[in-house]
Amino acid sequence: MPKRRQPPAPRKLARWHCSRRQAVWLALLPAVVVLALFARPGYSLWARQAAARRLQIGAISEACQYLRRAAWSNPDDGTVDMMSAFCARQFRQIDRWQDALQAAEEKGISRARIERETRLYLIQTGDWREGAESQLAAFVGEGVTAYDVPAAFVS
């Protein structure tokens, strides 16, 4: 009589496969949590920086596109509103400029920054007082871009 063969032992591969699957899920779970917490603020920061780079080279339309993305991902960022006010002033969109300044003020932007933007608007529209030329150095010292001050006088 022939020898009866023993059935093969159950493979441990299935158990290892489940462990691997569990390890993948355990690794993905913290990644998903981190993305949920930091993706929107990180995207907002990236979009705001991209807009700032575009503004430095005078690409205002492109900067506005990035600012819309930044405002969508972080609607509480007053800096985005200040940058939007700058763009609206360059395009002479007074209603948008005023709305952006009001939103920035509501979001906690300092009164000094809002007044600086207002002074630049007055210079740009020609409604400035004598001695505004002497404010050039003060504007640059306050953080206004080197592009913005001459543009306000020339426009």
Coordinates of all heavy atoms in Angstrom, one line a residue, residues 10-23:
P10 N -0.4 24.6 6.8 CA -0.9 25.9 6.4 C 0.2 26.9 6.3 O 1.1 26.9 7.1 CB -1.9 26.3 7.4 CG -1.9 25.2 8.5 CD -1.0 24.1 8.1
R11 N 0.1 27.7 5.3 CA 1.2 28.6 5.1 C 1.1 29.8 6.1 O 0.1 30.2 6.4 CB 1.2 29.2 3.7 CG 1.5 28.2 2.7 CD 1.5 28.9 1.4 NE 2.3 28.1 0.4 CZ 2.5 28.4 -0.8 NH1 2.2 29.6 -1.2 NH2 3.2 27.6 -1.6
K12 N 2.3 30.2 6.5 CA 2.3 31.3 7.4 C 2.3 32.6 6.6 O 2.3 33.7 7.1 CB 3.5 31.3 8.3 CG 3.5 30.1 9.3 CD 4.6 30.2 10.2 CE 4.5 29.1 11.2 NZ 5.5 29.1 12.3
L13 N 2.4 32.5 5.3 CA 2.4 33.7 4.4 C 1.1 34.5 4.6 O 1.2 35.8 4.6 CB 2.5 33.2 2.9 CG 2.6 34.3 1.9 CD1 3.8 35.2 2.1 CD2 2.6 33.7 0.5
A14 N 0.0 33.9 4.8 CA -1.3 34.7 4.9 C -1.2 35.5 6.2 O -1.6 36.7 6.2 CB -2.4 33.7 5.0
R15 N -0.7 35.0 7.2 CA -0.5 35.7 8.5 C 0.4 36.9 8.3 O 0.2 38.0 8.7 CB -0.1 34.8 9.6 CG 0.1 35.5 10.9 CD 0.4 34.6 12.0 NE 0.9 35.3 13.2 CZ 0.1 35.7 14.2 NH1 -1.2 35.4 14.1 NH2 0.6 36.3 15.2
W16 N 1.5 36.6 7.6 CA 2.5 37.7 7.3 C 1.9 38.8 6.5 O 2.1 40.0 6.7 CB 3.8 37.1 6.7 CG 4.7 38.1 6.2 CD1 5.0 38.4 4.9 CD2 5.5 39.0 7.0 NE1 5.9 39.4 4.9 CE2 6.3 39.8 6.2 CE3 5.7 39.2 8.4 CZ2 7.1 40.8 6.6 CZ3 6.5 40.2 8.8 CH2 7.3 40.9 7.9
H17 N 1.1 38.4 5.5 CA 0.5 39.3 4.6 C -0.5 40.2 5.4 O -0.5 41.4 5.2 CB -0.3 38.6 3.5 CG -0.9 39.4 2.5 ND1 -0.1 40.2 1.6 CD2 -2.1 39.7 2.2 CE1 -0.9 40.9 0.8 NE2 -2.1 40.6 1.1
C18 N -1.2 39.7 6.3 CA -2.1 40.5 7.1 C -1.3 41.5 8.0 O -1.6 42.6 8.2 CB -3.0 39.6 8.0 SG -4.3 38.8 7.1
S19 N -0.2 41.0 8.5 CA 0.7 41.9 9.3 C 1.2 43.0 8.5 O 1.3 44.1 8.9 CB 1.8 41.1 10.0 OG 1.3 40.1 10.9
R20 N 1.6 42.7 7.3 CA 2.1 43.7 6.4 C 1.0 44.7 6.1 O 1.3 45.9 6.1 CB 2.6 43.1 5.1 CG 3.3 44.1 4.2 CD 3.8 43.5 2.9 NE 4.8 42.5 3.3 CZ 5.4 41.7 2.4 NH1 4.9 41.7 1.1 NH2 6.3 40.8 2.7
R21 N -0.2 44.3 5.8 CA -1.3 45.1 5.5 C -1.6 46.0 6.7 O -1.8 47.2 6.6 CB -2.5 44.3 5.2 CG -3.7 45.2 4.7 CD -4.9 44.4 4.3 NE -4.5 43.4 3.3 CZ -5.1 42.3 3.0 NH1 -6.2 42.0 3.8 NH2 -4.7 41.5 2.1
Q22 N -1.5 45.4 7.9 CA -1.8 46.2 9.1 C -0.7 47.3 9.3 O -0.9 48.4 9.7 CB -1.8 45.3 10.3 CG -3.1 44.5 10.4 CD -3.0 43.4 11.5 OE1 -1.9 43.2 12.1 NE2 -4.1 42.8 11.7
A23 N 0.6 46.9 9.0 CA 1.7 47.8 9.1 C 1.5 49.0 8.1 O 1.8 50.2 8.5 CB 3.0 47.1 8.8

